[in-house]
Amino acid sequence: MLVAFSVAPSGTGRNDGSVHDAVAAAVRIVRESGLPNRTDSMFTTIEGDWDEVFDVVRRATEAVGEYGSRVSLVLKADIRPGYVGELEAKLDRLETAMEGLDSGA
């Protein structure tokens, strides 16, 4: 499964509203998990089985909770039993499709 999630604290007491320290704590947990992952400006996507992915999301959310009085979690999952390596494979299929469009196929 692939899970894309965004987690952020509120009630941080910071005047600038920045949450980068909290997000860094969450991303560190994801990266240390050893699961395939990718972080962009909006979401972190992680790949693995149900139990291991949601354990990482839970721990990342708990880490963010240390930075504020509330935590917001947004999550989207692509559950496709029997498929692995989809973090890269989905992008590869997209690029192949784009090449087909560019060549007029």
Side-chain angles (χ1 to χ4, degrees):
M1 89 175 355
L2 295 174
V3 171
F5 74 102
S6 173
V7 60
S10 59
T12 64
R14 291 184 64 139
N15 290 334
D16 65 357
S18 177
V19 296
H20 63 269
D21 291 335
V23 172
V27 171
R28 171 174 281 154
I29 288 168
V30 170
R31 291 182 180 172
E32 289 177 351
S33 76
L35 296 175
N37 66 83
R38 177 176 291 122
T39 299
D40 61 38
S41 62
M42 296 290 292
F43 288 93
T44 294
T45 303
I46 187 168
E47 182 171 14
D49 71 31
W50 189 275
D51 291 335
E52 59 191 5
V53 167
F54 279 95
D55 176 63
V56 173
V57 171
R58 178 189 53 78
R59 290 187 292 120
T61 302
E62 289 171 349
V64 167
E66 296 180 21
Y67 290 84
S69 59
R70 298 180 87 156
V71 176
S72 172
L73 172 65
V74 176
L75 185 140
K76 182 172 182 175
D78 180 0
I79 303 162
R80 196 170 185 194
Y83 286 79
V84 295
E86 289 297 287
L87 192 63
E88 297 298 328
K90 287 180 80 167
L91 293 175
D92 291 344
R93 289 190 299 271
L94 172 63
E95 292 301 326
T96 299
M98 294 297 296
E99 290 169 7
L101 292 175
D102 291 341
S103 68

